[in-house]
Amino acid sequence: MGLVSATEMLNKARKEGYAVGQFNINNLEWIKAVLTAAEEKKSPIILGVSEGAGKYMSGYHTVVSMVKGVMQTMNTTIPVAIHLDHGSYDGAIACIEAGFSSVMFDGSHYDIEENVKKTREIVKIAHAKGISVEAEVGSIGGEEDGVTGAGEVADPLECKRIADLGIDMLAAGIGNIHGQYPENWQGLNMAVLKEIGETTNEIPLVLHGGTGIPNAMVKEAIGYGVSKINVNTECQLVFAAAVRKYIEAGKDLTGKGFDPRKLLKPGVDAIIDVVKEKMDLFGSTNQA
Ligand code: 13P
């Protein structure tokens, strides 16, 4: 199967009570790792690309070409979406033009009227090309790739206004944070999540900040309509730890330094393991 928008895979997940993982990609190795895990698990997959990662990979066109190339070589059979993560208005337009199959327009830092106006415009432009749209209400806490949110809990009525614009998935702040959770974290606000789920007419809900949420809480959130869960930090942590361990073990010192392909392999393997574990937890295994 080729690139697809996230709409169909997420509507199915919402209806059948599981969640599809969005795993952020940063380079060729991460693309290969995430696609390998998804293919092995026969799970649909969303590849998240932040604006910073897009720049790092030499622009959105390069990202699309790399992903398509890897999919072709791997003979990918599962549904794959390339999705802009926390996009600005201009970033979303650029990704739509570059061939992404899904975009997030994060207007949560605007007042609600401006968020509604800009989200409506993005929906119109994206849907004309069959591209899915994620919008956000009530910012996600913490910092990710230069995008910082104060971590407000979303207002369910504002969520309904945004959901009614015809978006395909809704991210709502419910006490979730990018990066590591502090020790005194109060947990996800399930009462608000439940209310948002009930007022937004079965729209797939998105849980950002997927690293470090206890498994039971993840399952409970899925029960209230969370159909897409974003994970980035956990992959970064295991990748760095595995590569560090490899360097410290001092392999491949042949006077030429480390073989760059061997150097990164333990990191790739570590990401594959994390992604597979998450697919089992989220329930997306064998849903492709
Ligand atoms: P984590 O940093 O908790 O993995 O969250 C990633 C995320 O939400 C990307 O949008």
Side-chain angles (χ1 to χ4, degrees):
M1 193 177 271
L3 278 186
V4 294
S5 87
T7 310
E8 200 178 313
M9 65 169 93
L10 292 182
N11 285 340
K12 179 175 181 297
R14 178 76 163 95
K15 211 177 290 158
E16 296 178 17
Y18 62 91
V20 177
Q22 173 194 302
F23 299 91
N24 286 55
I25 53 171
N26 293 286
N27 55 24
L28 180 64
E29 283 73 20
W30 289 49
I31 295 169
K32 283 162 72 174
V34 175
L35 288 176
T36 300
E39 191 63 42
E40 274 181 44
K41 283 288 175 184
K42 293 283 166 250
S43 166
I45 183 91
I46 297 170
L47 307 178
V49 182
S50 68
E51 293 197 358
K55 248 183 233 150
Y56 174 77
M57 288 183 269
S58 295
Y60 301 125
H61 284 97
T62 314
V63 175
V64 172
S65 303
M66 272 202 293
V67 171
K68 282 187 174 165
V70 174
M71 285 172 67
Q72 191 177 355
T73 304
M74 281 177 54
N75 246 326
T76 308
T77 61
I78 50 167
V80 178
I82 311 182
H83 178 77
L84 174 66
D85 189 24
H86 290 287
S88 61
Y89 185 90
D90 290 346
I93 299 288
C95 286
I96 290 167
E97 284 168 2
F100 275 45
S101 62
S102 187
V103 291
M104 174 182 192
F105 166 63
D106 180 358
S108 61
H109 47 284
Y110 293 114
D111 64 48
I112 185 68
E113 298 308 327
E114 192 67 11
N115 192 359
V116 165
K117 181 170 169 275
K118 288 191 157 66
T119 301
R120 183 182 284 126
E121 287 170 16
I122 295 291
V123 167
K124 193 168 166 223
I125 298 164
H127 280 185
K129 291 188 161 193
I131 295 167
S132 48
V133 177
E134 174 179 345
E136 180 171 323
V137 179
S139 65
I140 315 294
E143 188 269 344
E144 190 188 61
D145 229 354
V147 181
T148 307
E152 333 137 20
V153 171
D155 172 353
L157 291 177
E158 289 188 357
C159 288
K160 181 168 168 41
R161 275 192 73 187
I162 296 280
D164 286 349
L165 298 173
I167 59 168
D168 303 274
M169 58 203 119
L170 175 72
I174 48 162
N176 39 339
I177 299 172
H178 291 127
Q180 309 261 34
Y181 285 89
E183 282 205 357
N184 61 354
W185 181 51
Q186 303 291 307
L188 298 176
N189 189 328
M190 293 295 176
V192 170
L193 175 62
K194 183 167 181 285
E195 206 182 327
I196 293 168
E198 286 163 0
T199 49
T200 53
N201 198 24
E202 304 287 303
I203 194 169
L205 302 176
V206 183
L207 181 62
H208 284 247
T211 298
I213 301 176
N215 289 356
M217 219 182 268
V218 168
K219 294 254 188 221
E220 194 181 347
I222 292 172
Y224 291 134
V226 164
S227 323
K228 170 174 176 279
I229 303 179
N230 294 5
V231 178
N232 178 36
T233 302
E234 198 166 334
C235 293
Q236 279 186 208
L237 289 170
V238 297
F239 182 84
V243 174
R244 187 180 303 121
K245 194 170 154 206
Y246 183 81
I247 292 174
E248 283 169 1
K251 284 181 204 154
D252 278 335
L253 283 172
T254 56
K256 293 193 289 183
F258 287 84
D259 179 330
R261 291 160 295 190
K262 288 188 182 155
L263 175 64
L264 297 183
K265 184 163 186 310
V268 169
D269 290 344
I271 292 176
I272 292 174
D273 287 345
V274 165
V275 173
K276 282 169 38 177
E277 196 184 292
K278 295 295 174 197
M279 286 169 168
D280 287 342
L281 172 66
F282 300 165
S284 69
T285 298
N286 291 327
Q287 295 291 352

